[in-house]
Structure formats: C-alpha cells, structure tokens
Amino acid sequence: MDGGAGVPPDPLADVCAPLADLEQRASATGDGGIDDDAGVAEPAPARNVIVLIGDGTGAAHWEAARAAAGRALAVDSLEGPVLYGTDSLSIGVATDSAAGATAIATGRCTHNGAVSASAGARLTTLFQVAGRAGKGTGVVTNTFIIDATPMAFAVQTPSRYCADDIAAQLFAGDGPDVILGGFVPSSFFAGDGLEALASASGYRVGFDLAALRAEATDDAPVLGLFGEGPSVPGWPEWENGLTPEILRAADSDEPTLAEMASFALDRLGRHDEGFVLVVENEHPDTVGHVAYLDVPLAAEWMPGLVLELDDAVAEVTRWVEQESSFDETLVVVCADHETGGYALGPEGEVASATFPSSPNHTRAAVPIFARGPGAERLRDVMHLTDIFHLLTGNLGVLPGTGGCPP
Ligand SMILES: [Zn+2]
C-alpha cells in the first residue's frame, strides 16, 4: 500500500489527465531530466532480467531475517550488498513507492505519487524497452496488483490513485505477459474491473494458482488475482493483497511469493528473446507503516515477512541454475526506500527492534544485491535511478542522476 494507496477513494481523480509523449516534451527541463529518450539505450546484454523489490526493506530488515533464520540467506549468494540513496524530486519528504519504483523502472526522477510520469509526460519504462527487444514481461506482487510499485513497470499515469487509467492501460494491448498479485475490489474502479478488461483483451484469468494453471493452457497472457485482503488481528484492515505467509491458515489457497515467481518464470521462460520479470514483496513496508501501533508485534513479524522475498530469491536462483545460467540471466534484489527506521536492539536481538520513524518512509540508504551480466559494476549504484541502468546493461555507460535534484 504505502502511504494509503489501499484506500479506494480517489482524491486526485482530477489529475488523471492524459499524458504527453516524451517527444512532445522535448524542450522540457528542470523536471527531472526529461529532455528526450536518450537515457534509454539498447537492452542489456542479459537475456533475462529478474528484479526483486523489497518494499520498505532496508539493511536492518535483511539482518533481522538472517538472524531469525539462523543461516545464510538466498540473497547472500548474490554480489553485494551495496547501499544507495532513494530520494525523489519531492522536497522535504522521503520518496514514496510511486516515485521510488518509477526511478527503478525508468531511470528518471519524479515527484511522489507519479507513476512513470513526470511533468505531464510519459517516461519510457523497462517493460517498453524489453518489449521493443521482443522480450516477455511479467510482474508479481503480494500487494493488490494495481499498487504503485508493480504498476510503474507497466503503465504511465500522473497519479498512483488513477485506478481506472491504470487498469485501462494495463489491458490496452502490449500489456505484461504475466500479471500476478492481490485481488482488487471493484470499488476501486468507476468503470470495468480488472477481470472484464483482462478477459476482453485475451488474458486468461484465475483466482487461485491451480485454476489459473488449468485456464492457461496456451501462450495467451495471464492475470492471477489472489486473496481477498488479509483478515489478521493487528494487520491493517485497509491493506488489500495477499495474507502474509507466516499469518496464513493451514488450509489457505493463497500462493506464496515464491510460487507466483515460479509460475511466472515457467511462462516467461518460453520467450525466444528472453524476458524481464519484476517480483515485489510489500509486507515489510506495510508493517513499517503500522509498527508504531504495536511495536512488539511488528518486531515479531518482521523477519518472517522479509523471508517471503528471500524464499522468492531462492526460487529464482534455482530456476536460473536449472533452466538458464548466470551467464545470461541477471538477478537483482533491491528496495524502493526504507520504512519505519527499523533498527535491531542494542545487542542485535530481533525481539526488541524499534521503529522510530514509523509510520513514515525514511531516507536511509538501502541495499542492493545482484548476480549475472552487469553485476560486476554493482558498486556504481549510487541511487535508485542507477538500478535502471544496471537492468538495461548501461550502468557505468550512461551517466546516472547522482540523486534527484532538489
Ligand atoms: Zn515503497
């Protein structure tokens, strides 16, 4: 959710105006570097790119998960970590998930709330770059599917709250081949909901993974909408999406993040020209937002929530080693920002972790890990926008922003 995105009312509806093409904004300056398309070069030497995003997941989060697991994590098999900054063009506040994901998805700075758009113009996204190269694209998340983080790779809209615009763009043609995430209530939309739009544009739709598998017997694109919003004491009622894995009932039919990633890889691995897959774990961010309400409960939950992403990293790594190789597939694990100022106790104990900045995001530097083509330049990642260059094989080739200008 992040900053209240789980709330259906649309306070910014009047800003959901059509965006201009970048070409029409060729003379624009001072808006985060929107001058032309020059920042987008030919796609990476990597045939396949898999980026896993821990929403709100800082260095202490990973350390807590490592301590709780009592073992090395899957993420520890990658290069790194390297710490980088996450500021956006919004002054005086930390980035939100929309601007954070935009920076990863486009290599450009924007203001909080904007989704791969800035100053009224569309920003070319990683999925568009991949599509031009004939690659498949997929997005997987355990929050509601039209949340800002996953959507920054797939659509361009002035505000994360433009739900109808997001849905329309997602299924207007050339949408992702795989879209898996949390169910979105029809109350989010003034017009048709996701299922109707998806079906009309040829998507196979399923509400659990088994049903989706049964439905998706051909190479048509797929939409999986899972869960109905967690009903867990202490978990925010406004948070739509999948139930955290550590809090599920034994008979839950909700897929894990790793299972969704595996399904996506099975589909995308069929593409002759390779693919780009984005996997997001929203749950550490959610808890960072509400931790101040019940710090001990948040401290108890956090390591297990971070491990949802690490389990997905393990699944991705297994897929690369069995079905591909790190010679042709780049795996990147990063964050969009830190949430809550999460810190371990004085002796490193997880149970007494603190959240001094909850409910807010912070500007703490966050870690990135990577393995595969281009990962040898990981130390050049200084800011979120550099991750786009890493993903497209241009890190150290094209200049980074060095951070977003105030
Ligand atoms: Zn976020």
Side-chain angles (χ1 to χ4, degrees), residues 122-222:
R122 297 183 188 89
L123 304 177
T124 302
T125 69
L126 182 64
F127 280 8
Q128 289 177 315
V129 175
R132 288 176 193 165
K135 294 182 185 294
T137 54
V139 60
V140 167
T141 182
N142 54 19
T143 189
F144 66 108
I145 189 62
I146 62 163
D147 200 6
T149 306
M151 289 301 99
F153 294 85
V155 308
Q156 301 138 310
T157 188
S159 164
R160 59 190 296 170
Y161 299 106
C162 299
D164 285 281
D165 187 28
I166 290 170
Q169 286 189 44
L170 201 52
F171 301 111
D174 296 330
D177 300 283
V178 177
I179 306 172
L180 305 177
F183 181 79
V184 186
S186 59
S187 59
F188 269 61
F189 306 100
D192 293 334
L194 294 178
E195 306 96 281
L197 290 169
S199 296
S201 60
Y203 275 73
R204 308 292 180 237
V205 182
F207 298 95
D208 64 60
L209 214 43
L212 186 59
R213 253 192 207 98
E215 189 74 21
T217 54
D218 55 16
D219 288 333
V222 296

Side-chain angles (χ1 to χ4, degrees), residues 2 55-56 96-97 149 282 285 336-337 339 361:
D2 233 334
D55 206 308
D96 79 333
S97 292
T149 306
E282 166 62 22
D285 175 69
D336 54 349
H337 54 77
T339 306
H361 295 177

Side-chain angles (χ1 to χ4, degrees), residues 44-390:
R47 168 185 167 83
N48 308 312
V49 174
I50 306 169
V51 55
L52 301 103
I53 302 174
D55 206 308
T57 304
H61 293 76
W62 284 111
E63 189 55 31
R66 203 172 280 118
R71 57 173 168 81
L73 302 180
V75 78
D76 294 327
S77 70
L78 310 178
E79 308 285 335
V82 168
L83 297 174
Y84 59 94
T86 65
D87 59 336
S88 74
L89 286 181
S90 292
I91 298 169
V93 294
T95 188
D96 79 333
S97 292
T102 294
I104 299 171
T106 72
R108 305 287 187 146
C109 295
T110 192
H111 290 88
N112 289 358
V115 178
S116 290
S118 184
R122 297 183 188 89
L123 304 177
T124 302
T125 69
L126 182 64
F127 280 8
Q128 289 177 315
V129 175
R132 288 176 193 165
K135 294 182 185 294
T137 54
V139 60
V140 167
T141 182
N142 54 19
T143 189
F144 66 108
I145 189 62
I146 62 163
D147 200 6
T149 306
M151 289 301 99
F153 294 85
V155 308
Q156 301 138 310
T157 188
S159 164
R160 59 190 296 170
Y161 299 106
C162 299
D164 285 281
D165 187 28
I166 290 170
Q169 286 189 44
L170 201 52
F171 301 111
D174 296 330
D177 300 283
V178 177
I179 306 172
L180 305 177
F183 181 79
V184 186
S186 59
S187 59
F188 269 61
F189 306 100
D192 293 334
L194 294 178
E195 306 96 281
L197 290 169
S199 296
S201 60
Y203 275 73
R204 308 292 180 237
V205 182
F207 298 95
D208 64 60
L209 214 43
L212 186 59
R213 253 192 207 98
E215 189 74 21
T217 54
D218 55 16
D219 288 333
V222 296
L223 170 67
L225 297 170
F226 309 126
E228 295 180 354
S231 179
V232 178
W235 197 261
E237 291 176 10
W238 40 256
E239 178 63 15
N240 289 284
L242 280 78
T243 307
E245 292 165 26
I246 56 172
L247 303 177
R248 289 182 189 174
D251 61 349
S252 169
D253 66 356
E254 295 183 55
T256 66
L257 196 62
E259 287 168 345
M260 290 192 285
S262 177
F263 181 91
L265 289 168
D266 180 52
R267 306 283 300 181
L268 293 171
R270 304 171 189 176
H271 283 261
D272 292 338
E273 306 299 329
F275 63 84
V276 174
L277 171 63
V278 176
V279 178
E280 186 214 10
N281 178 26
E282 166 62 22
H283 293 147
D285 175 69
T286 300
V287 168
H289 282 296
V290 300
Y292 72 99
L293 296 171
D294 190 338
V295 170
L297 187 62
E300 178 188 330
W301 282 349
M302 187 60 86
L305 302 176
V306 176
L307 288 173
E308 287 194 35
L309 189 66
D310 196 62
D311 289 346
V313 175
E315 175 57 27
V316 163
T317 301
R318 185 204 63 76
W319 183 90
V320 173
E321 289 173 342
Q322 291 185 3
E323 307 293 337
S324 174
S325 77
F326 283 104
D327 291 334
E328 67 168 16
T329 299
L330 172 65
V331 175
V332 173
V333 181
C334 61
D336 54 349
H337 54 77
E338 197 276 345
T339 306
Y342 181 65
L344 299 181
E347 296 177 6
E349 67 272 32
V350 171
S352 61
T354 57
F355 300 82
S357 299
S358 178
N360 297 313
H361 295 177
T362 73
R363 294 186 68 178
V366 294
I368 181 169
F369 308 79
R371 185 176 174 192
E376 67 278 3
R377 305 203 75 151
L378 192 60
R379 291 193 177 282
D380 290 337
V381 174
M382 307 288 288
H383 181 260
L384 279 171
T385 46
D386 295 321
I387 299 173
F388 176 78
H389 292 332
L390 173 63

